[in-house]
Amino acid sequence: MAGNFIYSTRDHKFIIKEWLDVEKILGLKKFRDYYSKEDVDGILDQALTVCREMVAPSNDDGDIIGAKFNGGRVALPPSFHKAYQYVQANGWGSGHKDIDGEGILPGLLYGAVHEYMIAANPAFVAYVGLAGGIAGIIKAFGTREQVDLFTPKMFEGTWGGTMCLTEPGGGSDVGDMLSKAYPTGEPGIYRIRGTKCFITAGDHDLTENIIHLVLARIEGAAPGTKGLSLFIVPKIWVNPDGSLGEANDVATVGIEDKMGLKGSATAVLSFGEENQCRGILLGSPPDENGFGQGMAQMFKMINGARVDTGHCALAVAAVAYHNALQYAKERVQGRRITEPKGQRVPIVEHEDVRRMLLTQKAVLEAGRAMVFKAYYYLDLIAFSEDPDEVKEASRRLEVITPLIKAYCSDQAWELIALAIQVYGGYGYTEEYPVARQARDSKIYSIWEGTNYIQSMDLVGRKWRLENGAVFKEWLEEIGFFLEKHKGHETLAREFAILAEAFAAYQGLVKLVVRYFMDDIRLVPLYSTRILKATAELYCGYLLLDQALAAEAKLNQGPEDEVFYRGKIHTAQFYLRNIVPEVIATAKLIQEADTSALEMPLEAF
Amino acid sequence: MNIVVLIKQTFDTEAKIQLTGDGKVNDQGVNLIMNPYDEFAVEEAIRIKEAKGGEVTIVSLGGDKAQEAVRQALAMGADKAVLVNDPALEGADHYVVAKVLAKVLEGMEYDLILTGWVAIDDQSSQVPGRLAEVLGLPQANVVTKLEVEDGKVVCHREGDGSVEVLEVPLPAVVTAQKGLNEPRYPSLKGIMQAKKKELKKVSLGDLGLPAEEAKAKVVGYQLPEARQAGKVVEGEPAETVSQLIEFLTKEAKVI
Ligand SMILES: Cc1cc2nc3c(=O)[nH]c(=O)nc-3n(C[C@H](O)[C@H](O)[C@H](O)COP(=O)(O)OP(=O)(O)OC[C@H]3O[C@@H](n4cnc5c(N)ncnc54)[C@H](O)[C@@H]3O)c2cc1C
């Protein structure tokens, strides 16, 4: 009951076929011979069916039974096994992360498939995503032998994968980690010692082996993140002929009892308790300054995982929205404010319920617009043959990655709160899915770098890349858009609001750049709010651009009129109700308020 | 062993049926699917093919959109398809449909014809029987288990607490019931391969058939009356009980 997977493919079809330039992506050499625009509907529809019928049934088991730790091993419910086998065997799984894979879907399409899978069971997707994602890192940085030995089995899902950064003493500050690697007689092989915690999919019984990617410091390397190296550490050693050898001294100490995502095993792993744990160095050993390659390599994974985290948050919140909408149409309570003696009406007729529902729809579609922009850029980066195109896509992606991660995950929590509110008291019970969605979604603002870390990535790093050139180009895209549609008639009010927000935001940037010099403490005080305003500005632009696409469709004929009108209303709502927050934030930051710092600790 | 599977595209089981102003079923924005009972037939055909070899051909009669259902069957693993699509077939009744399908089958080689026992939209269950009659073939209906043997099929039909087992010589028409199997969902590879499979579209002219008058015509559709809101009897318990009894005896006439 509680799972209740309700979803739609319509917005994805709009984004892929009617908004972004899918022909450009499908025209890339990698995809040209495999896919055409006509295939999009069929693939998305089938993917949704598969996720509904094969993956969603595992959602209740994930939450109610969860991952179980017993005798040093982790077991997952049988329905997870069934879904995992099915997804991997039928071409919907980890293999799409293999850039050399034959017939893989472009990210733009697989992104939609992935969203349905997350929505169907958010605790399940990490097992699929990590296997392919980790293999992708090994492929990018490994030797021919390493790639051949590990990646095929991971792309087909026979072996799982993990990313092991976090330690009890090294969370947000990864550089403080204590895990160590000691050279052995064998070149490239190190003895690994250390404890990693919070490792997603760190142990489970879906696959016969798990390939951990472990960050550790080689003896004598530099302190901080610069000195870290990355190691392939199989749970069970893999012999040179590909057969499985002995257990590799990786012990599962336990798994966390969590607020949500209970079907996703979050493990504490102890490497080298018996001093027998062997790791294979990825790339080169630290240079003469003691600088390793580990953090840069891991960041290839982390950047993708940040987009993915935003997408996960969005998908979970979207299921909550679809459920709240259905409930609001059925629940009869109260009368219209204009007809106090009239018939009782479904709550969807009430103004405030409408506001809550449209807030959800608007922010979800805004987030989805950003996420699919990212997939579009990622496809170009991976597969375009035009270096200028690749460069531009990479620069854009740099800026929007922290926006996607933090805005989508912060908003998901608030949107799900609205979904619960729509249900009233019933939303607070576990009989309906929204309470679970709230529990499941909270993690997304925390892992892959907390949202504060994202905000500092934006303000402290992305703003300053190449002396601000990258960020300036990104801002100019919005400026050009405003310029191009100056004097637009039907959406004049929305364009005016966006223009005002754009001007206010530029003022905000100038001011904050000054704060860097005058009182740098103001920057972290305001950074999360700056990130939010940045995302709201960008989302306002994207939704308005979508409204233009919808308007064009309406001008072509009555087909699917309700949907396109809905897109325009959604954009209007977002521009009129949310984008003005950019202007308010810009004003608020001028206050340069430091009360949170001035207050003595004892007064808290 | 060559198998022909007849499929029909229908409304989604969850679709809300609405009528247009002139009393027709409104198909705007309605999700269309392959008739679920036909899915059992397609699955069974593919399983027989996988076990014994041969070819599975999908035959369907419908409009442009019916292609989607046909492609789905191809994506599941059928080998090729014929779609009869002709504006003159709008309003065709079961008599006409059976005749047209029989004509399509005339030019084909097959050992077995499989289809669903009923289509969930009109629920008439007429086409398979009529088709068997036109083709002069034996027929087994509402089958939940099917075994192919030499020159015959063994069909299980479930009755009330009993199973009827029929032996039917081939070629034959067999209709599938829920329980026959669990239909697969197309794999991504299946979907992509389906694009390259032959899907022949034919008109009545191509079949050499004249447009034929339907024997039954639909005059109009009506939705069932909307459920009335319940009655709430308010007041003191003693009063409400007698009111309720009066209501049950006089108005609702249930006691
Ligand atoms: C369910 C789950 C799954 C996870 N999966 C993985 C995984 O697969 N692999 C992995 O390596 N890790 C994983 N993690 C770990 C996760 O990435 C960390 O929890 C996260 O990075 C935060 O680290 P921390 O928990 O140590 O919090 P801390 O770093 O202690 O942070 C606590 C708070 O302080 C703030 N803070 C910290 N430093 C600063 C600063 N300098 N300035 C201002 N504020 C600061 C943070 O923003 C946060 O609000 C997972 C965690 C969970 C809960």
Side-chain angles (χ1 to χ4, degrees), chain A residues 34-36 39 42-43 46 49-50 53-54 86 90-92 96 105, chain B residues 28-29 31 65 68 72 182 184-189 191-192 195-196:
Chain A
Y34 293 91
Y35 299 103
S36 66
D39 301 330
I43 293 170
Q46 272 310 321
T49 305
V50 161
E53 305 296 333
M54 303 307 296
Y86 186 87
N90 285 276
W92 304 107
H96 292 280
L105 286 171
Chain B
Q28 272 289 312
N31 201 19
K65 286 192 181 150
E68 291 166 22
Q72 187 190 337
E182 207 175 303
R184 70 194 68 190
Y185 303 102
S187 67
L188 181 59
K189 205 162 150 205
I191 296 173
M192 296 323 294
K195 280 210 304 187
K196 302 198 184 96

Side-chain angles (χ1 to χ4, degrees), chain A residues 49-93:
Chain A
T49 305
V50 161
C51 290
R52 185 192 301 116
E53 305 296 333
M54 303 307 296
V55 180
S58 62
N59 192 327
D60 280 358
D61 288 349
D63 193 52
I64 296 163
I65 306 172
K68 286 262 178 283
F69 179 68
N70 211 329
R73 291 161 186 276
V74 178
L76 295 178
S79 56
F80 275 57
H81 290 254
K82 196 173 155 206
Y84 187 83
Q85 299 303 338
Y86 186 87
V87 161
Q88 299 291 14
N90 285 276
W92 304 107

Side-chain angles (χ1 to χ4, degrees), chain B residues 45-63:
Chain B
I46 295 169
R47 288 190 190 186
I48 296 171
K49 176 186 92 166
E50 283 167 354
K52 309 207 175 257
E55 231 182 15
V56 175
T57 307
I58 302 298
V59 176
S60 185
L61 188 155

